[in-house]
Amino acid sequence: MLLEHSGHGAGFWEDLAIALVKAGRQVVRLAPFDRSATLIPGNVGTYACESLQAVLGQLPMRPVILAAGDDAAIAIDAISQHAELMASGIVLVDSKSVDARKLDLLPERLPLLMVSGVLVPVSDSMEQIARRIPHAEAVEISASTPPSCAEGFDAFSAVLIDFLERRLPRATPEYRQGSDARTLRDALGCFATGVTVMTAKDAASQPVGLTANSFTSVSLDPPLLLTCIAKSSASSEVFQMAEHFAVNVLHIGQQPTSIRFSRRNEDRFGATPWEPGLHGTPVLTGSLATFECSRHAVHDGGDHIILIGQVERARFEPRRDPLLYFRGKYRRLHFS
Ligand SMILES: Cc1cc2nc3c(=O)[nH]c(=O)nc-3n(C[C@H](O)[C@H](O)[C@H](O)COP(=O)(O)O)c2cc1C
């Protein structure tokens, strides 16, 4: 939970939230407290403290609370009564005004990280507080890399993510046979692939094709490759029966082609340059590589068929970058 402090700017919190999400964390962002909205005059922070307690009471899990500057005092006050029931960890950033006695009262088991020098110079008082509390971890971000620059921000987020991983490790998602297929898909999506469009001719000599990333080379001698096609696919029967088919490996500029061949109700061949190859098998013009194959074998693969092809001709374009697919998204990397 990020208690966003206006002193650190909206961009800082936005970037921090993105970095945490990328590290596999869920983030709750609380807008900066309106200090003018204090209910009890003179008792600055009471309103914010009660609001925070109300939010914490609604959450289904105990968050790690990250507070900066004088919001640290609000966070500590909010959880002080039942700290371990309300939070699973505390991170204080540039919080020199925090009351060391209150920090002392936090249970030792509650992971506590104090980071200084993030957006303001390292203060002696924060260092002293950190030294007084033996169970606190204290880290100084080097003054030469203030997080306002990208390198400094990376240093701060690395410290934070390292602390979270060590002291509050995430439960790694786990799939067990019979449990939800989504987790299995996500695990399989960790394998980065290229993207191909499989093409063949149907019985009426019309071109058919679909986007597939289940492409793998199998053997050099004989030259074999394979791909897996869902039995539910409109063209799976054509591929089972076709004597010949082609695998078109897509380059970085062919993402629209990949999208077109993966969606229903698209004029796949009408909107894509193609030409007849060996045996009249359609091949997509200008692909990164094209493998024209004869059908070698078809195996059952659960809800897919495993189509093995013997390569009759392979052509490729050495100067283009591949279209990539990773974790359910198209990715771009430039090599050439
Ligand atoms: C990046 C990507 C990879 C895919 N890989 C495969 C695959 O390997 N096998 C498959 O059967 N479908 C795969 N699909 C899904 C098919 O392209 C999609 O279901 C398509 O609509 C099937 O063709 P159909 O509409 O003619 O049945 C993939 C889709 C995308 C976007």
Side-chain angles (χ1 to χ4, degrees):
M1 172 182 282
L2 306 181
L3 305 193
E4 304 198 356
H5 190 272
S6 49
H8 287 65
F12 172 85
W13 296 106
E14 178 76 25
D15 291 349
L16 189 59
I18 291 170
L20 288 168
V21 169
K22 279 192 182 153
R25 301 283 168 171
Q26 290 173 304
V27 178
V28 175
R29 299 173 62 183
L30 284 194
F33 293 116
D34 178 0
R35 274 152 226 290
S36 61
T38 309
L39 288 181
I40 307 168
N43 194 355
V44 177
T46 301
Y47 172 71
C49 177
E50 286 171 1
S51 309
L52 179 57
Q53 282 172 336
V55 175
L56 289 171
Q58 297 293 316
L59 286 182
M61 58 193 46
R62 292 170 309 132
V64 176
I65 302 176
L66 188 150
D70 43 11
D71 280 356
I74 294 169
I76 303 300
D77 279 350
I79 65 163
S80 57
Q81 296 294 312
H82 312 283
E84 277 185 295
L85 290 177
M86 299 182 96
S88 57
I90 307 279
V91 179
L92 304 180
V93 180
D94 293 334
S95 308
K96 56 182 179 223
S97 60
V98 67
D99 186 341
R101 282 163 308 178
K102 287 188 178 167
L103 281 180
D104 243 347
L105 294 176
L106 292 177
E108 275 186 33
R109 282 193 305 271
L110 193 69
L112 173 61
L113 172 68
M114 302 180 72
V115 192
S116 52
V118 174
L119 283 188
V120 295
V122 176
S123 84
D124 288 348
S125 53
M126 177 130 177
E127 216 178 291
Q128 281 162 10
I129 296 167
R131 233 182 284 128
R132 257 195 60 183
I133 302 162
H135 63 271
E137 289 187 34
V139 177
E140 275 178 26
I141 301 291
S142 156
S144 62
T145 54
S148 44
C149 67
E151 207 183 308
F153 180 83
D154 288 348
F156 168 60
S157 56
V159 163
L160 177 60
I161 289 163
D162 171 67
F163 169 77
L164 294 173
E165 291 296 301
R166 276 186 296 105
R167 304 292 306 272
L168 298 139
R170 282 165 300 144
T172 314
E174 183 176 286
Y175 166 82
R176 292 290 179 100
Q177 195 176 344
S179 68
D180 72 316
R182 176 78 239 176
T183 309
L184 178 60
R185 271 178 92 123
D186 290 348
L188 292 168
C190 295
F191 186 60
T193 66
V195 182
T196 77
V197 168
M198 306 280 308
T199 47
K201 251 182 345 184
D202 69 9
S205 287
Q206 291 305 302
V208 295
L210 80 162
T211 302
N213 67 344
S214 54
F215 168 67
T216 307
S217 60
V218 174
S219 159
L220 281 179
D221 187 16
L224 301 177
L225 52 76
L226 73 73
T227 189
C228 303
I229 298 178
K231 289 176 183 169
S232 60
S233 156
S235 48
S236 79
E237 267 182 38
V238 175
F239 280 98
Q240 278 193 65
M241 304 308 294
E243 293 294 330
H244 302 95
F245 66 90
V247 182
N248 305 269
V249 179
L250 303 187
H251 61 70
I252 207 161
Q254 288 176 301
Q255 187 174 324
T257 305
S258 175
I259 293 169
R260 196 174 302 127
F261 279 82
S262 65
R263 285 196 187 146
R264 295 255 155 107
N265 306 320
E266 293 270 348
D267 184 6
R268 293 182 181 177
F269 286 90
T272 312
W274 65 278
E275 62 213 55
L278 298 177
H279 318 286
T281 304
V283 294
L284 303 190
T285 310
S287 297
L288 180 60
T290 308
F291 299 91
E292 290 165 271
C293 305
S294 58
R295 192 185 62 222
H296 178 79
V298 181
H299 298 292
D300 183 66
D303 56 11
H304 281 57
I305 56 163
I306 303 166
L307 178 60
I308 302 186
Q310 177 144 1
V311 181
E312 292 186 349
R313 176 164 74 171
R315 289 176 290 171
F316 64 98
E317 165 56 67
R319 282 172 297 277
R320 300 219 64 160
D321 289 317
L323 180 62
L324 303 178
Y325 201 70
F326 175 62
R327 293 215 162 117
K329 289 195 181 118
Y330 293 102
R331 311 283 175 156
R332 288 153 179 271
L333 268 184
H334 291 277
F335 301 98
S336 19

